[in-house]
Amino acid sequence: MPAGDLGDPGDPGDPGDPIGQLLAGRYPDPETGELLGTAARAVVIDDSLDGREAELVAALDLGHHLAVVADVDTYAALGHRVERALASRFAVQRVVLDRAPHADTATITRLGASLDARTEAIVAVGSGTLNDLCKMAALARGCPQVVFATAPSMNGYTSLSASITEAGVKRSVRAATPVGVFFDLGVMAAAPIRLIRAGLGDSVCRPTAQADWLLAHLLLDRPYREAPFAMLAGDEAALLSQARALVAGDLAVLRHLVRTLVLSGFGMTISGGSYPASQGEHLLSHYIDMMRPRDLPDALHGEQTGVCALAMARLQDRILAQDAPPVLRATAVDHDDVVRHFGPERGEVCWRELAPKRLDQRRAEALNARLAAGWDAMRARIQAATLGSARMTAVLAAAGAPLTPAELGWPEPLFDDALVHAREIRDRYTFLDFAADLAPATQP
């Protein structure tokens, strides 16, 4: 069966399915009618892919010399099976990283140096960090990448970005979309339950991310697109309504989760960045990663995202509940404040991100005029995109996912600092910026 052609309704082989349409370059943009596509050539989601691995990769015609890259855990979960299958048709180099590798520049350099000079394609076997490392290694090598997923834990499989720590600051870096992405639902279901809950957490932030992106568009005229949200709406609705069944092992609901993650990744790709899936909630999570004490318990990215999305949803709820137009003031924080908080090296990096979105008094007054004239329409459009904190809490609670910073072992002062300072790590305007720049009389 050809890659991407599963033949089941709602799968990539269905010509009316968003994934199939994107692979064919025929997904209609809901705003312009333009036909959208993706650099990915195959997405396969099936109950089992056992025995089909070599066939799926061979269909992509990537060359003969492949590097299969996994870490200790993902090699045990699926990597050994993929290596054995591919070795029947290709020359395969096995690269197994230590348990829980870090997505940072040093690890990328080591991975690149370990690859055979003849490598024509990289086959990643893993999830978030492993996929990001292989994206960057493939970009540096100038070769394609495919991925066999081991957990439905995050939405970066099909995106063109990688989350990499550089100079102590975690940021999204442009990479390339894998040409083939393969999901064995049996392997997904066997993943630790925390990883499945993490995938739900990485999905439930869609409303807060969309609200932040819309705010930047409506207030600051920054670009915005509806397509990333339209394409995943059906699967998201099915997933959120059955969160309890997801963690009970229901493969049909798990398929909706995987599809939501795939389509979220494609949404980032067609948007040219992580805008539709990474806004204020990810800034909070990245801030915790940057500033975490050494003894802070480890949490999964999606667990953090879910908790931070709830915090963003509560903030958005409070601001959007205001009938009177909010009033902005000039940004109070300056260069010295940022460097004092983050330290000299990271502080300079953060200042370069914050400076373009700071408000002086003239700009604040211009925005206040816009808010006075259009707040009702602005907040109505943003509210239409949100779920509200109560619904989001219910979804995560049904799956047994963490709901509060305390459940992740985060000290209250650390999270309070995140709510204040996370806006400073990236030039992305969110409700964190809006709240911080509100005049005292209109603060939520």
Side-chain angles (χ1 to χ4, degrees):
M1 189 177 296
D5 183 7
L6 304 183
D8 297 325
D11 279 319
D14 180 351
D17 178 77
I19 297 177
Q21 290 176 321
L22 285 163
L23 292 173
R26 299 196 61 79
Y27 180 80
D29 188 305
E31 295 173 292
T32 67
E34 175 191 2
L35 296 180
L36 305 176
T38 174
R41 293 160 50 197
V43 173
V44 179
I45 306 166
D46 209 348
D47 290 354
S48 175
L49 300 179
D50 196 359
R52 296 175 57 195
E53 298 89 351
E55 160 201 342
L56 294 173
V57 173
L60 297 172
D61 193 22
L62 304 178
H64 185 65
H65 292 275
L66 308 179
V68 173
V69 182
D71 64 29
V72 171
D73 292 322
T74 63
Y75 186 80
L78 182 60
H80 66 95
R81 192 183 99 190
V82 170
E83 180 192 5
R84 183 177 64 248
L86 296 183
S88 66
R89 297 179 66 167
F90 303 94
V92 175
Q93 177 194 10
R94 177 204 308 164
V95 179
V96 180
L97 305 179
D98 292 338
R99 178 171 283 111
H102 294 288
D104 54 30
T105 50
T107 307
I108 294 166
T109 299
R110 289 195 300 272
L111 173 57
S114 71
L115 296 175
D116 189 293
R118 297 170 295 176
T119 299
E120 295 172 275
I122 295 175
V123 179
V125 184
S127 56
T129 296
L130 206 293
N131 189 39
D132 284 346
L133 289 170
C134 289
K135 282 182 183 178
M136 299 307 294
L139 183 68
R141 178 58 63 99
C143 70
Q145 175 209 355
V146 301
V147 57
F148 284 87
T150 56
S153 55
M154 56 91 215
N155 61 3
Y157 285 114
T158 52
S159 78
L160 49 60
S161 301
S163 293
I164 304 296
T165 300
E166 297 178 331
V169 179
K170 192 168 186 179
R171 60 179 67 252
S172 291
V173 179
R174 180 65 62 89
T177 305
V179 296
V181 190
F182 308 121
F183 298 90
D184 183 316
L185 292 177
V187 173
M188 303 288 99
I193 194 68
R194 282 185 66 193
L195 293 173
I196 297 173
R197 289 176 176 140
L200 180 64
D202 215 21
S203 300
V204 82
C205 76
R206 188 281 308 161
T208 62
Q210 186 174 2
D212 279 339
W213 200 19
L214 261 175
L215 174 69
H217 173 62
L218 297 172
L219 184 65
L220 304 178
D221 295 320
R222 294 195 176 182
Y224 170 83
R225 300 187 71 166
E226 284 287 344
F229 309 111
M231 65 178 59
L232 59 74
D235 283 290
E236 181 193 272
L239 169 66
L240 299 186
S241 67
Q242 302 176 80
R244 196 179 307 278
L246 173 69
V247 293
D250 188 316
L251 287 190
V253 183
L254 182 61
R255 184 184 292 266
H256 285 302
L257 172 59
V258 169
R259 288 174 51 81
T260 298
L261 297 172
V262 166
L263 288 164
S264 179
F266 279 147
M268 290 187 274
T269 296
I270 67 170
S271 300
S274 60
Y275 310 100
S278 175
Q279 295 281 345
E281 72 294 321
H282 276 72
L283 296 182
L284 292 172
S285 179
H286 292 340
Y287 178 92
I288 298 294
D289 288 337
M290 288 169 55
M291 307 299 285
R292 59 188 299 125
R294 291 185 181 275
D295 60 350
L296 197 70
D298 288 332
L300 298 171
H301 168 76
E303 291 176 325
Q304 296 187 181
T305 300
V307 167
C308 293
L310 292 182
M312 286 302 301
R314 289 190 291 269
L315 176 63
Q316 292 169 352
D317 286 350
R318 292 196 299 271
I319 293 176
L320 294 171
Q322 297 184 21
D323 292 328
V327 177
L328 295 167
R329 59 181 175 175
T331 302
V333 64
D334 62 18
H335 172 271
D336 290 347
D337 295 326
V338 174
V339 172
R340 189 179 307 115
H341 182 76
F342 288 99
E345 183 179 10
R346 286 192 298 197
E348 292 296 342
V349 174
C350 292
W351 174 250
R352 289 195 294 272
E353 295 291 324
L354 175 65
K357 60 181 180 177
R358 291 178 77 250
L359 304 181
D360 59 19
Q361 189 57 41
R362 181 178 179 181
R363 192 177 184 204
E365 290 173 359
L367 294 178
N368 285 334
R370 174 172 287 197
L371 287 166
W375 173 242
D376 285 345
M378 188 181 299
R379 72 169 181 152
R381 185 170 175 192
I382 296 173
Q383 283 176 322
T386 65
L387 287 180
S389 60
R391 172 79 194 286
M392 290 170 60
T393 299
V395 168
L396 290 173
L403 304 176
T404 66
E407 289 178 71
L408 299 179
W410 292 352
E412 186 174 341
L414 176 64
F415 196 68
D416 288 344
D417 280 349
L419 290 168
V420 174
H421 296 287
R423 64 179 294 222
E424 298 163 15
I425 70 176
R426 191 162 191 195
D427 180 16
R428 188 160 288 186
Y429 192 89
T430 75
F431 272 87
L432 293 173
D433 298 282
F434 194 64
D437 289 336
L438 286 176
T442 60
Q443 286 180 348

